Amino acid sequence: MAKPRFCVVGYYFQPGEILVAAEKARLRNFKNFDTFTPFPVHGIEKAQGLKRSSLPYVSFVAGCAGLMAAVGLQVWTHLYSWPMNIGGKPLAAIPAYVPIFFELTVLFAGVTTVVVMFTHYCGLPNFSKPIFHPDITNDRFALAIEVDNEDQIEPVKKFLNEIHAQEVHHVEGRL
Amino acid sequence: MKNLLYEEPLVEGSKTYADVNNDVCKPLESFPTKLWLGAFGIANLIMFMGFGMIGYMIYEGAGMSGIRSPVGWGMMIITFVFWIGIGHAGTLISAILFLFKQKWRTGINRSAEAMTIFAVMCAGIFPLIHTGRPWYSAYWLFPYPNQMGPLWVNFRSPLLWDVVAVSTYFTISLVFWYTGLVPDFASVRDRAKNFFRKKIYGLLSLGWRGSSKAWSHYEIAYMILAGLSTPLVLSVHTIVSFDFAVSIVPGWHTTIFPPYFVAGAIFSGFAMVVTLLVVAREVFNLKDYITLGHLEAMNKIILATGMLVGLAYATEFFVAWYSGVSYERFIFIQRAMGPYAWSYWIMVGCNVLTPQFFWFKSLRRNIPLMFVLSLFVNVGMWFERFVIVVTSLATDYLPSSWNYFRLSWWDTATLIGSFGMFFSLFLLFCRFVPTIAMAEVKAVIPTKGSEHHG
Amino acid sequence: MSVDLIEQLDILRRSEEAAVTTEPRKLWQSIDELGADFNSLKAVRGQELAVQQEEAGPTTMDLSRRKFLQFSAAASALVATTACTRRPVDHLVPYVKKPEGLTYGVPMWYATTASNGFGVLVKTMAGKPIKLEGNPDHPVNQGGLDAATQASLFDLYNPERLKTPIEVKSGKSIQWAEVDAAVKAATSEAQVESVRVLTGPVVSPSTTTSMNSFLSSSKGTWHKTQDLPDDPIAEAINLVSGQKSIPTFRFEKADVVVSVDADFLGTWIRPLEFTKSFSKRRKLHRGDANVNRLYVFESLHSLTGIAADHRMSIKPSQQLGIILAIGSEVSKSRSADAGASSFFTKYSAEKLSAELGFSLDLVKRAAADLSAARGKSLVVAGGHGPHALELQIASLALNSILGNIGSTLDFESPMKTGMEQGNDFESLLSDMEAGKVSVLFIQGVNPVYSSANTRFKDALSKVKLVLSLSHELNETASLSTYALPESHYLEAWGDSEIREGHVSIQQPVIEPLYNTRSLAEVVEAWDGRTGNYRDIVSSRWQKIYSRGDFRSWWMDQLKTGAHSTGSSRKTPAFRWAAVTPAFEKLNLQKSSGLELVLYSSVGLGDGSRANNPYLQELPDPVTKVTWDNFAGISPVLAAKMGLNRSHYSDETPNILASDFASDVVEVSVNGKSVKLPVFVQPGLDENVVAIALGYGRKVAGSLGTDRGQDANLFAVRNSSNKLQLRGQSATIKKTSDRYELACTQKQFGLQGRDSDILHTYTLKEFEKTQGDHGHGKYHIHPTFSIYDSKEFVYPGHKWGMAVDLNSCTGCNACVVACYTENNVSTVGPDQIAKGRHQAWLRLDLYHSGDAANPDSTFEPMMCQHCDLAPCETVCPVLATVHSTDGLNDMSYNRCVGTRYCANNCPYKVRRFNWFQYSDKLGYQVEKTDPLPMLINPDVSVRTRGVMEKCTFCVQRIRSETSDRMTRVKDGSIKTACQQSCPADAIVFGDLNDPESEVSQLAKVTTGFKVLEILNTKPNVTYLPRVRNKESSV
């Protein structure tokens, strides 16, 4: 049993405020903190020091896989598995295969992107993590800082009040 | 990038973030109104009438429809293309307008995408039931390994391209739509009083918490999807048009079809969006989010695409004459002056003339007028497909085989049934899903949060 | 045979039920079944052990009573199930020894003779006749077989056949013995001349002998009539020569043929024979430059008219005038028969044309050509006009002048139509009315239906005993005392002689399915003789062919089905004086107003075949109307009366009509009237209304009853007391009703697409093309492809077809051949009206030129088996692909029915099963036993929702060449349509074989492919229609 961890949460009501708060939290070098917002706040990545997602590479690879699948399927079936005289057209009637090349590329890339994004990057679905406040998906902006043990809670709360958190409390659980 | 086609504020009535949630989620949380129940009941009746028809045909045979030699495709393919066309506006709005940073899309993209998905669902039924043996075509059209070995599908056939294109389009649109919905489901979850609502929407939201780390990936993914969907949405109707363009039937075998079909699709799609939103914003009182500005912008697009379609009609005629192919020329004379002239002129009237009203700002912003006009456009676009499919087949190469095509009562009933299905689904959507992308709207309303202490 | 098959089946069924219910052990009959059950027992024990282990665990086995019971229950359950799943073998009969000379799946062929005397080959599978083909060894039809005779196979299996004798009043079925007794009683007390027999033409010598012996013993008389009376040719000849015979018309010898209302290629006397001989002179494309020229003056647009080089539509009242005009022109120059020319000298063509109002141009041309071709020309006339007898005398005289007697009119081996004695129906009728008839036996005719009035019907009640022998219950049979079931000609022994000295034996190929008798057997029985009729036939021929080894002659007869011996007939001398008086008091005057034209349709004939779906669905060759008759009128008249001309409108040929419902008109002829839908067709005189006979049957089974309207009531007697079908003055009145005729072709104009679709030449133009090696007068646009289609070569065979439009007469034989060979479904009028007919092979008909005298051409259209088949590329499931020998294959069980192939087929030859057509006749009547026997087991029956089309009779190809490489002898594979074609217009074969006829014809420079510009590379070559005109008019 790992020992319990705590999250100290401070709330704001303006995107601007959370930006500042996130900035300060980053400068304070908290090991593990994050902001929670009802909508993607412009510039928060920079403030929080998140680096650009590597998701595009995933999509690219998936797309290539889709293309390969399309080429393989069509060429293999028509040239090797079951060569047939169909309307006197050559077995490798490449122009006729293009539409499916494209479609499968898009299909693979699109679906993979979203699935990987949710599961791998966002760690969803996950119903166990604490929801700090129901209004976060409504009109609240939260800065949550994870601390290792209870005696760290107070200093962090103090810090949050310093940076004008309108409301501060802590909950047990991981970020 | 600044908003093209759109000047005024994106959301009216100086809303706060909280207002957005309250306004959008109200219909989900209140008891369904009499109006809704009535509409849903009727739509359902019509839908099940349609399903009854389909069952009847599967029992009796494809002959129930009016199709006959040499017109092998009739109402079902017409309606398939019609619905697929309708299904273009949604993804177009959410993808292309997104790439162009057209913020005004936020008010309407949710419902437009929903409409897309439902339209594609309606469309998907028709190619299946139009075959002689639906119980086989349901799976024989997919290349699955089998023991009749080697036995594969024909990747040269445009119909197969269709199968892949339409199913891809449906999947991607669905994924796209759902991705957009996840944060809003979370909102609904968090304001839910009732335990089951909490659980259900909780599941749907995958446990979304609005973490900025998640948001950053989320936005990238959304951008990628938009990038993928943009060529996809163009490709789908292109491929549908290949069904005709790749054949050797006079009047079908033309290279203009892909752009012509895509323009027509966007045209009809936006018309349908207008039809639906004009009603929805009234009924669910979302006037502040789906503003006149939105409607006007869409009317501008309808005008533009309408002109494109008109141009395509003209070009077809010119090319038919210019090609010097007697069969091509004959077909177009047939269309304009032959036994189907009535349908041709309905098409021209609805698709080329009606949009002309939208040259005038006052008319673009006139709700009742745009509602009526959008209906006209929908009718016109159905007849466009009628003209394309029927006239060419009815009088092709050998005069000995010519025949005059009539819709059977079955055709009409099934066509109406598909509308029943479409509206049933849309009404369900309005009841159970946030009809406005709340998170996105919040991102675009000017920030002046209410003073709030707790 | 079918009966005990059925017995076996329900024995099997009962035993299966037994197997389920009875205790399994009882079923152990043989040692191997025992073995089988040992296995099942082992299985059971295995189960037990398994169960024990998991129940009792690895330790000791302690079995409680409960457990034991559970196990035994499980065990017995398992035993029971294993037993149930086995077939109960005890009642099945193993195929131990194969029947003598029969291999299942391999057809047996028999040569026999159809009821109309033509030689047929019967294809039988496992003892069931499934296809009729013309017998190549038969001297008259020489391999061809007409549509009606081919369709007659259906009558054998028709579920609505009379199965036993029936006492009509009580409606209960009885035994033949009772009938025989009744007849014996009646004949014994009957006095002289009170026993009468009424039959149609009988061409069987044996039957004639039997009949005569019966009549002599019963002191009776034999009357012959025809539901469709034949022209009084025999009578005319009898008048001038005292000899009752109809010459054989040697069309093959005639350079110039003139026909006045004699549709000898369609319905006149014996079209099959004439088509064969006529088309021998149309083989221009096979290097025979010696083509004939055909002039047709007709009041109906007929097959003969379409085959004509020069055609003029006339009114029936002008028939005789035309002949006389030609005669007067011809007799101006040297005559071979002075006596005959005396007829014509007093007429002048100009005067006649002025009086009767016909144009002289064509008459003069015909006359000129005739006089130029003395002894090598032929004039035929017919059509039951107002002067039927005079017409025949005049045409005979004309032939005599031209010296055709003995050359093209062959009196030495004359036809035997069975009607040489003439039609003496009238005398019977008057005797019946006078009550002189006590016993009347009717066979082969249906006077109650076919006579113009109710006289016969009423007179029937005056006859004590009326017996009617027929296949099905018909109007006459239903009014007789006993309705007797007649054997099909495939069930009975007999013989026929349809040309003097040309005999063919009729041998049964199947045991009578029901309790039936043939005409001969009936009279034999009533004459007191019983036993197998074969002996009577053979003994009769033994008497005649006493010389030589009779047995081998007889065997040879049965093998080949035909035998020719010389005939002793001589050409008679004509005494014209005898008939001149008839012409003295002949007055021809111009008729005003509409004239009626009654004709027999190619399909239904006199209406006796009305219950045959193949013939009901067979499109009338000229109008393409099925399942109905109609009032045919010219576009001009239609325009005058403001009737819907959607089917043929000469004004706006470029727009397809949207409404094909015909206006219904009321046609009245001297007091009587009938309501009929009009069909507007070119090629009719403006003042003619044409109606087909044979429709409107009242008692004709479920398919034939009340289809169309009965027009027999319009028939009248003309001045010389001959039955008149044409020339009655008629009036038509438009009614408010409309009716959609089931028409398989809705557009008859070429739309100026000649160069792509249909090439026609005049002989002059054609001869010009022979020099250059171009494409003749038509310019074909060169085609190219972005793919090089050399990837697919055809190393072995490459099947192809050539269709000679110059020989094709549009007789429809090929269409029925295709239906019967390929199990094509009939779909009925409603479906056809929608445009859903299933014919794999259709005869497209295109008119061009003016509405009164169009140039009409047939174009047989079937799957072209294109090398670059557009249908294949678009099929998503590869249900249609190309075979390695160049066939466009269609695999029904893979087809899902997207109909994309049909859309993309420019020839529109693909047929879709919109409903489960194969279950019903004409999509109306459920197919019941024994109809399934009619199915050709080599061709799969298509289910609903799949596409079908012409396969080039792939089953025939595969049966000849199992591998697809070894050369086959050219002509050893004949497609069904090719085999049946009396005009030899269709040639099928291997295009890779340079010697084969088809590859030769494919090289003909004037040959063309339909829609070549589409670059589909069809494998069917069409050889153009060439009209033998001085100039293209």
Side-chain angles (χ1 to χ4, degrees), chain A residues 87 89, chain B residues 69-72 246-253 325 327 331 392-403, chain C residues 750 753 756-758 842 844 846 859-874 888 899-911 947 949 1009-1019 1022:
Chain A
K89 299 241 190 314
Chain B
S69 171
V71 184
V246 169
S247 79
I248 63 173
V249 179
W252 286 10
H253 187 63
V325 180
Y327 304 100
I331 281 295
S392 287
L393 287 174
T395 54
D396 72 343
Y397 294 100
L398 293 191
S400 64
S401 309
W402 290 1
N403 195 355
Chain C
L750 258 177
R753 301 178 176 185
D756 293 340
I757 295 177
L758 182 55
R842 63 175 197 265
D844 287 349
Y846 294 110
E859 183 170 46
M861 186 52 64
M862 72 297 287
C863 177
Q864 307 282 305
H865 293 269
C866 316
D867 287 351
L868 307 180
C871 52
E872 292 171 6
T873 330
V874 296
N888 170 239
R899 296 183 299 282
Y900 201 174
C901 53
N903 289 351
N904 214 30
C905 171
Y907 309 97
K908 291 289 170 272
V909 292
R910 288 180 159 267
R911 301 297 183 208
M947 194 60 73
K949 64 160 191 70
K1009 307 272 169 57
V1010 177
L1011 295 170
E1012 205 166 340
I1013 51 156
L1014 295 179
N1015 196 33
T1016 53
K1017 301 232 182 300
N1019 280 315
Y1022 287 86

Side-chain angles (χ1 to χ4, degrees), chain C residues 385-398:
Chain C
H387 308 287
L389 184 58
E390 294 81 352
L391 188 68
Q392 293 305 335
I393 298 173
S395 57
L396 186 62
L398 187 44

Side-chain angles (χ1 to χ4, degrees), chain C residues 942-1003:
Chain C
R942 280 75 61 186
T943 172
R944 142 160 91 90
V946 308
M947 194 60 73
E948 62 184 66
K949 64 160 191 70
C950 160
T951 63
F952 268 175
C953 287
V954 64
Q955 66 278 10
R956 295 181 174 218
I957 298 174
R958 295 289 175 260
S959 66
E960 283 294 316
T961 63
S962 47
D963 71 6
R964 301 174 184 190
M965 302 301 285
T966 47
R967 284 252 170 281
V968 293
K969 199 170 129 292
D970 186 34
S972 65
I973 302 175
K974 279 185 176 342
T975 61
C977 47
Q978 171 188 21
Q979 203 287 333
S980 69
C981 180
D984 305 308
I986 300 177
V987 177
F988 173 83
D990 184 357
L991 290 168
N992 280 356
D993 172 3
E995 302 310 312
S996 68
E997 188 179 8
V998 67
S999 58
Q1000 300 295 335
L1001 291 175
K1003 289 196 204 76

Side-chain angles (χ1 to χ4, degrees), chain A residues 44-129:
Chain A
I44 195 85
E45 295 90 344
K46 211 159 138 291
Q48 232 175 298
L50 304 172
K51 54 182 172 351
R52 195 165 186 290
S53 168
S54 59
L55 197 54
Y57 301 100
V58 177
S59 328
F60 178 74
V61 173
C64 295
L67 181 59
M68 289 306 130
V71 174
L73 182 63
Q74 299 185 80
V75 171
W76 177 68
T77 49
H78 278 331
L79 266 71
Y80 304 105
S81 172
W82 202 30
M84 272 281 170
N85 178 351
I86 299 161
K89 299 241 190 314
L91 294 175
I94 298 301
Y97 301 158
V98 169
I100 294 183
F101 291 169
F102 172 78
E103 294 299 332
L104 287 197
T105 312
V106 170
L107 181 64
F108 277 50
V111 175
T112 320
T113 307
V114 170
V115 172
V116 171
M117 181 269 288
F118 277 125
T119 55
H120 178 272
Y121 285 90
C122 306
L124 298 177
N126 180 333
F127 306 102
S128 59
K129 291 196 172 175

Side-chain angles (χ1 to χ4, degrees), chain C residues 402-711:
Chain C
L402 293 164
N404 298 336
I405 311 294
S407 66
T408 53
L409 282 182
D410 179 354
F411 283 86
E412 290 175 354
S413 58
M415 284 194 194
K416 283 180 151 289
T417 61
M419 290 302 290
E420 293 83 355
Q421 303 310 314
N423 184 333
D424 50 4
F425 179 66
E426 287 299 309
S427 59
L428 170 69
L429 193 50
S430 45
D431 288 358
M432 285 167 69
E433 284 167 330
K436 293 192 201 143
V437 181
S438 63
V439 179
L440 176 61
F441 173 47
I442 307 170
Q443 182 272 348
V445 287
N446 184 6
V448 174
Y449 162 74
S450 61
S451 49
N453 46 40
T454 60
R455 278 177 65 197
F456 183 84
K457 193 175 171 189
D458 308 338
L460 267 182
S461 54
K462 293 203 177 68
V463 183
K464 254 205 257 56
L465 179 63
V466 181
L467 306 114
S468 143
L469 181 68
S470 57
H471 287 288
E472 300 171 37
L473 209 61
N474 59 28
E475 289 82 348
T476 309
S478 57
L479 290 176
S480 51
T481 330
Y482 296 116
L484 310 177
E486 185 174 13
S487 295
H488 193 272
Y489 61 85
L490 294 175
E491 297 171 324
W493 281 96
D495 53 11
S496 84
E497 184 175 12
I498 54 174
R499 186 185 294 170
E500 181 121 346
H502 295 291
V503 180
S504 48
I505 302 296
Q506 166 192 335
Q507 60 174 333
V509 297
I510 185 171
E511 280 285 305
L513 294 176
Y514 307 110
N515 186 9
T516 57
R517 283 182 189 170
S518 70
L519 172 61
E521 286 165 346
V522 169
V523 287
E524 282 290 317
W526 292 348
D527 212 10
R529 284 187 299 281
T530 53
N532 191 339
Y533 195 65
R534 180 192 59 230
D535 309 335
I536 295 161
V537 176
S538 62
S539 59
R540 180 180 178 282
W541 287 107
Q542 189 147 25
K543 281 195 213 76
I544 297 171
Y545 293 96
S546 47
R547 68 203 184 287
D549 170 10
F550 172 72
R551 178 154 180 71
S552 66
W553 178 86
W554 176 253
M555 282 305 156
D556 184 51
Q557 280 297 295
L558 299 188
K559 254 204 245 84
T560 60
H563 181 84
S564 301
T565 64
S567 88
S568 54
R569 293 294 201 92
K570 293 271 158 290
T571 310
F574 296 134
R575 298 181 311 283
W576 299 106
V579 287
T580 22
F583 279 77
E584 300 301 334
K585 56 179 184 304
L586 181 72
N587 67 326
L588 299 165
Q589 76 281 35
K590 184 179 195 147
S591 83
S592 59
L594 276 183
E595 290 186 30
L596 180 70
V597 169
L598 297 179
Y599 64 99
S600 63
S601 73
V602 171
L604 251 50
D606 57 13
S608 54
R609 323 163 188 151
N611 199 23
N612 187 320
Y614 292 121
L615 296 174
Q616 283 281 12
E617 188 130 328
L618 190 65
D620 169 59
V622 185
T623 60
K624 304 296 173 192
V625 174
T626 62
W627 289 93
D628 264 310
N629 66 343
F630 50 84
I633 62 172
S634 70
V636 188
L637 179 58
K640 273 195 195 144
M641 298 187 61
L643 300 171
N644 180 4
R645 292 180 298 160
S646 51
H647 282 286
Y648 184 90
S649 166
D650 44 347
E651 281 168 12
T652 58
N654 279 322
I655 301 298
L656 171 76
S658 63
D659 171 17
F660 292 96
S662 304
D663 291 299
V664 176
V665 295
E666 186 172 24
V667 184
S668 338
V669 176
N670 45 47
K672 307 169 179 170
S673 70
V674 163
K675 278 204 171 83
L676 278 166
V678 291
F679 190 89
V680 180
Q681 64 179 102
L684 288 182
D685 184 284
E686 178 184 340
N687 291 319
V688 158
V689 53
I691 304 172
L693 296 168
Y695 286 86
R697 291 280 308 275
K698 287 284 165 283
V699 184
S702 44
L703 290 175
T705 307
D706 287 330
R707 288 236 61 94
Q709 299 298 330
D710 180 4

